[in-house]
Amino acid sequence: GFDEHSLLQAAAFASRPDSGDPLDQALLGAAGELPPATRLAEFPFTEARRRETVILRRDGEAASAFTKGAPETVLAMCDAPADEQGAWLARVEGFARTGHKVIACARRGLPAAEGIAGEPASGFQFAGLLAFEDPVREGVRAAVADCMAAGMRVLMVTGDHPATAAAIAREIGLGGAQPGVVTLAPDDDAGAVLREHDGVHVVARATPAQKLGLVQALQAQGELVAVTGDGVNDVPALRLADIGVAMGERGTQSAREVAPVVLLD
């Protein structure tokens, strides 16, 4: 029951116009002007929840909840049968293997009698997938090669899907044709996972606490650790690193405040 326009609209309803997130801005721009609606509640994205939900009421209609986030998280909130969910996750894998960031979107109605006691966690109707491409900046491959030639170990640590991260790693020359990728579960000890796996180039689905854990584990091994980052989720790792480097132009204020080095360009 969803076409491209209604999917974009649902994803835009689940976005915050004032968030400053490039992904939200892209969705709002693609969806165009939205129907008038009153926002009743917002449940912002966190690394632990991996989704963002907005409850709103459009003129003359009952309240509805719109959610967007990691496909496996959103699908688990939907009433779709297992084989249908498996088919969608296979499509996610296909997009991710070509370096795309993929999010899913879903909606559910909220009968007036139900009220808004909190964020709904089930009963959603799956709306579809949205795939994003964030091209690697010019010069990154050469910069990574320079670091490795100087004897530095380079690790990519990301909250993204492991297949997306692996595709980007190949593009920037990290780990060759088959980069070593480990995927963290929310309760994994990141340091222990790093010690158990040799030849790791990419750590995927990492939370802010796990990024911090990786820094601590490497320091415990006697390594001098530099961390680059631009988001609020990078702040703990930037602060504890021996050298924290914040991206100045696109970085968040909190990242710039805790990092001793800020790149202005």
Side-chain angles (χ1 to χ4, degrees):
F2 285 87
D3 58 16
E4 182 175 326
H5 175 70
S6 58
L7 169 59
L8 280 170
Q9 193 174 83
F13 277 136
S15 304
R16 289 174 296 143
D18 59 349
S19 73
D21 186 323
L23 187 145
D24 277 358
Q25 298 304 317
L27 283 172
L28 290 163
E33 187 174 354
L34 297 174
T38 302
R39 298 171 83 87
L40 304 176
E42 295 180 348
F43 303 89
F45 180 91
T46 67
E47 294 285 346
R49 293 169 57 256
R50 298 192 186 282
R51 66 181 185 272
E52 176 168 24
T53 303
V54 173
I55 298 176
L56 53 80
R57 179 180 290 111
R58 288 178 281 186
D59 291 348
E61 297 183 12
S64 295
F66 295 87
T67 191
K68 73 180 196 301
E72 58 269 33
T73 299
V74 173
L75 276 164
M77 300 165 67
C78 296
D79 292 332
D83 57 344
E84 186 178 321
Q85 294 201 22
W88 282 111
L89 290 173
R91 296 181 72 174
V92 171
E93 187 77 16
F95 280 122
R97 287 187 183 281
T98 52
H100 291 83
K101 180 181 182 70
V102 186
I103 66 169
C105 186
R107 73 170 296 277
R108 63 160 289 185
L110 296 173
E114 188 171 325
I116 303 172
E119 180 187 16
S122 61
F124 280 82
Q125 178 189 4
F126 191 68
L129 302 174
L130 298 112
F132 298 79
E133 187 173 34
D134 187 7
V136 172
R137 294 186 184 187
E138 185 178 350
V140 171
R141 188 181 183 95
V144 170
D146 286 345
C147 290
M148 293 190 293
M152 297 170 64
R153 179 185 182 185
V154 179
L155 277 172
M156 179 198 298
V157 185
T158 176
D160 275 346
H161 190 286
T164 304
I168 299 300
R170 287 191 292 271
E171 190 174 347
I172 64 175
L174 182 59
Q178 293 294 330
V181 180
V182 294
T183 305
L184 299 179
D187 56 350
D188 278 346
D189 179 332
V193 170
L194 192 64
R195 290 189 294 272
E196 292 166 6
H197 293 81
D198 294 328
V200 174
H201 304 99
V202 177
V203 180
R205 290 301 195 212
T207 66
Q210 289 168 328
K211 292 179 181 182
L212 177 64
L214 288 170
V215 172
Q216 293 171 315
L218 291 165
Q219 289 172 330
Q221 295 172 16
E223 300 284 2
L224 187 70
V225 182
V227 170
T228 63
D230 61 4
V232 174
N233 57 350
D234 299 318
V235 165
L238 283 168
R239 184 163 189 160
L240 192 71
D242 298 292
I243 308 165
V245 183
M247 306 297 136
E249 189 173 347
R250 288 178 55 186
T252 58
Q253 181 68 28
S254 53
R256 296 197 298 269
E257 286 176 354
V258 302
V261 180
V262 178
L263 300 181
L264 298 180
D265 187 335

